[in-house]
PDB file of all heavy atoms in Angstrom:
ATOM      1  N   LEU A  64      -6.983 -28.735  -9.503  1.00 94.00           N
ATOM      2  CA  LEU A  64      -5.934 -28.477 -10.464  1.00 94.00           C
ATOM      3  C   LEU A  64      -5.630 -29.722 -11.311  1.00 94.00           C
ATOM      4  O   LEU A  64      -5.217 -29.596 -12.456  1.00 94.00           O
ATOM      5  CB  LEU A  64      -4.667 -28.026  -9.703  1.00 94.00           C
ATOM      6  CG  LEU A  64      -4.766 -26.630  -9.052  1.00 94.00           C
ATOM      7  CD1 LEU A  64      -3.567 -26.399  -8.112  1.00 94.00           C
ATOM      8  CD2 LEU A  64      -4.804 -25.551 -10.113  1.00 94.00           C
ATOM      9  N   ARG A  65      -5.819 -30.901 -10.726  1.00 94.00           N
ATOM     10  CA  ARG A  65      -5.654 -32.099 -11.520  1.00 94.00           C
ATOM     11  C   ARG A  65      -6.696 -32.147 -12.699  1.00 94.00           C
ATOM     12  O   ARG A  65      -6.351 -32.550 -13.801  1.00 94.00           O
ATOM     13  CB  ARG A  65      -5.837 -33.343 -10.662  1.00 94.00           C
ATOM     14  CG  ARG A  65      -4.641 -33.677  -9.779  1.00 94.00           C
ATOM     15  CD  ARG A  65      -4.940 -34.952  -9.038  1.00 94.00           C
ATOM     16  NE  ARG A  65      -3.871 -35.272  -8.092  1.00 94.00           N
ATOM     17  CZ  ARG A  65      -3.863 -36.353  -7.263  1.00 94.00           C
ATOM     18  NH1 ARG A  65      -4.903 -37.164  -7.331  1.00 94.00           N
ATOM     19  NH2 ARG A  65      -2.893 -36.526  -6.442  1.00 94.00           N
ATOM     20  N   VAL A  66      -7.906 -31.756 -12.397  1.00 93.00           N
ATOM     21  CA  VAL A  66      -8.957 -31.681 -13.384  1.00 93.00           C
ATOM     22  C   VAL A  66      -8.590 -30.639 -14.455  1.00 93.00           C
ATOM     23  O   VAL A  66      -8.723 -30.902 -15.661  1.00 93.00           O
ATOM     24  CB  VAL A  66     -10.301 -31.413 -12.753  1.00 93.00           C
ATOM     25  CG1 VAL A  66     -11.393 -31.269 -13.834  1.00 93.00           C
ATOM     26  CG2 VAL A  66     -10.685 -32.484 -11.745  1.00 93.00           C
ATOM     27  N   LEU A  67      -8.128 -29.447 -14.002  1.00 93.00           N
ATOM     28  CA  LEU A  67      -7.815 -28.381 -14.938  1.00 93.00           C
ATOM     29  C   LEU A  67      -6.683 -28.789 -15.834  1.00 93.00           C
ATOM     30  O   LEU A  67      -6.611 -28.324 -16.993  1.00 93.00           O
ATOM     31  CB  LEU A  67      -7.496 -27.107 -14.200  1.00 93.00           C
ATOM     32  CG  LEU A  67      -8.640 -26.326 -13.484  1.00 93.00           C
ATOM     33  CD1 LEU A  67      -8.189 -25.187 -12.714  1.00 93.00           C
ATOM     34  CD2 LEU A  67      -9.664 -25.894 -14.599  1.00 93.00           C
ATOM     35  N   ALA A  68      -5.759 -29.520 -15.329  1.00 92.00           N
ATOM     36  CA  ALA A  68      -4.576 -29.955 -16.127  1.00 92.00           C
ATOM     37  C   ALA A  68      -4.997 -30.791 -17.336  1.00 92.00           C
ATOM     38  O   ALA A  68      -4.242 -30.927 -18.331  1.00 92.00           O
ATOM     39  CB  ALA A  68      -3.562 -30.713 -15.252  1.00 92.00           C
ATOM     40  N   THR A  69      -6.183 -31.434 -17.246  1.00 91.00           N
ATOM     41  CA  THR A  69      -6.678 -32.309 -18.334  1.00 91.00           C
ATOM     42  C   THR A  69      -7.918 -31.697 -18.999  1.00 91.00           C
ATOM     43  O   THR A  69      -8.693 -32.442 -19.555  1.00 91.00           O
ATOM     44  CB  THR A  69      -6.929 -33.681 -17.841  1.00 91.00           C
ATOM     45  OG1 THR A  69      -8.012 -33.612 -16.839  1.00 91.00           O
ATOM     46  CG2 THR A  69      -5.714 -34.299 -17.200  1.00 91.00           C
ATOM     47  N   ALA A  70      -8.151 -30.371 -18.824  1.00 90.00           N
ATOM     48  CA  ALA A  70      -9.417 -29.756 -19.256  1.00 90.00           C
ATOM     49  C   ALA A  70      -9.413 -29.278 -20.675  1.00 90.00           C
ATOM     50  O   ALA A  70     -10.346 -28.597 -21.127  1.00 90.00           O
ATOM     51  CB  ALA A  70      -9.758 -28.668 -18.314  1.00 90.00           C
ATOM     52  N   GLY A  71      -8.405 -29.612 -21.450  1.00 87.00           N
ATOM     53  CA  GLY A  71      -8.397 -29.148 -22.848  1.00 87.00           C
ATOM     54  C   GLY A  71      -9.538 -29.645 -23.651  1.00 87.00           C
ATOM     55  O   GLY A  71      -9.979 -28.943 -24.585  1.00 87.00           O
ATOM     56  N   ASP A  72     -10.058 -30.863 -23.339  1.00 90.00           N
ATOM     57  CA  ASP A  72     -11.188 -31.387 -24.120  1.00 90.00           C
ATOM     58  C   ASP A  72     -12.433 -30.604 -23.933  1.00 90.00           C
ATOM     59  O   ASP A  72     -13.350 -30.634 -24.768  1.00 90.00           O
ATOM     60  CB  ASP A  72     -11.400 -32.856 -23.766  1.00 90.00           C
ATOM     61  CG  ASP A  72     -11.586 -33.111 -22.256  1.00 90.00           C
ATOM     62  OD1 ASP A  72     -11.218 -32.168 -21.505  1.00 90.00           O
ATOM     63  OD2 ASP A  72     -12.153 -34.152 -21.878  1.00 90.00           O
ATOM     64  N   ILE A  73     -12.570 -29.890 -22.808  1.00 89.00           N
ATOM     65  CA  ILE A  73     -13.760 -29.042 -22.565  1.00 89.00           C
ATOM     66  C   ILE A  73     -13.835 -27.962 -23.658  1.00 89.00           C
ATOM     67  O   ILE A  73     -14.936 -27.671 -24.215  1.00 89.00           O
ATOM     68  CB  ILE A  73     -13.686 -28.360 -21.178  1.00 89.00           C
ATOM     69  CG1 ILE A  73     -13.786 -29.427 -20.107  1.00 89.00           C
ATOM     70  CG2 ILE A  73     -14.794 -27.380 -21.020  1.00 89.00           C
ATOM     71  CD1 ILE A  73     -13.705 -28.886 -18.663  1.00 89.00           C
ATOM     72  N   ALA A  74     -12.698 -27.329 -23.929  1.00 84.00           N
ATOM     73  CA  ALA A  74     -12.689 -26.299 -25.018  1.00 84.00           C
ATOM     74  C   ALA A  74     -13.079 -26.901 -26.345  1.00 84.00           C
ATOM     75  O   ALA A  74     -13.840 -26.311 -27.124  1.00 84.00           O
ATOM     76  CB  ALA A  74     -11.302 -25.626 -25.060  1.00 84.00           C
ATOM     77  N   GLU A  75     -12.511 -28.087 -26.623  1.00 85.00           N
ATOM     78  CA  GLU A  75     -12.837 -28.702 -27.882  1.00 85.00           C
ATOM     79  C   GLU A  75     -14.335 -29.075 -28.052  1.00 85.00           C
ATOM     80  O   GLU A  75     -14.955 -28.791 -29.063  1.00 85.00           O
ATOM     81  CB  GLU A  75     -12.053 -30.049 -28.050  1.00 85.00           C
ATOM     82  CG  GLU A  75     -10.571 -29.844 -28.191  1.00 85.00           C
ATOM     83  CD  GLU A  75      -9.801 -31.130 -28.235  1.00 85.00           C
ATOM     84  OE1 GLU A  75     -10.439 -32.194 -28.433  1.00 85.00           O
ATOM     85  OE2 GLU A  75      -8.588 -31.129 -28.032  1.00 85.00           O
ATOM     86  N   GLU A  76     -14.917 -29.582 -26.960  1.00 88.00           N
ATOM     87  CA  GLU A  76     -16.338 -29.964 -26.999  1.00 88.00           C
ATOM     88  C   GLU A  76     -17.273 -28.750 -27.095  1.00 88.00           C
ATOM     89  O   GLU A  76     -18.328 -28.770 -27.778  1.00 88.00           O
ATOM     90  CB  GLU A  76     -16.697 -30.769 -25.767  1.00 88.00           C
ATOM     91  CG  GLU A  76     -18.107 -31.305 -25.779  1.00 88.00           C
ATOM     92  CD  GLU A  76     -18.400 -32.179 -24.580  1.00 88.00           C
ATOM     93  OE1 GLU A  76     -17.936 -33.299 -24.526  1.00 88.00           O
ATOM     94  OE2 GLU A  76     -19.111 -31.692 -23.662  1.00 88.00           O
ATOM     95  N   THR A  77     -16.950 -27.664 -26.433  1.00 84.00           N
ATOM     96  CA  THR A  77     -17.837 -26.500 -26.361  1.00 84.00           C
ATOM     97  C   THR A  77     -17.514 -25.416 -27.407  1.00 84.00           C
ATOM     98  O   THR A  77     -18.241 -24.467 -27.588  1.00 84.00           O
ATOM     99  CB  THR A  77     -17.749 -25.791 -24.981  1.00 84.00           C
ATOM    100  OG1 THR A  77     -16.364 -25.384 -24.768  1.00 84.00           O
ATOM    101  CG2 THR A  77     -18.170 -26.791 -23.870  1.00 84.00           C
ATOM    102  N   GLY A  78     -16.412 -25.606 -28.109  1.00 82.00           N
ATOM    103  CA  GLY A  78     -16.001 -24.642 -29.139  1.00 82.00           C
ATOM    104  C   GLY A  78     -15.418 -23.384 -28.542  1.00 82.00           C
ATOM    105  O   GLY A  78     -15.231 -22.382 -29.237  1.00 82.00           O
TER     106      GLY A  78
END
Side-chain angles (χ1 to χ4, degrees):
L64 292 170
R65 284 184 186 178
V66 177
L67 287 175
T69 62
D72 56 341
I73 293 177
E75 293 177 14
E76 183 178 287
T77 60

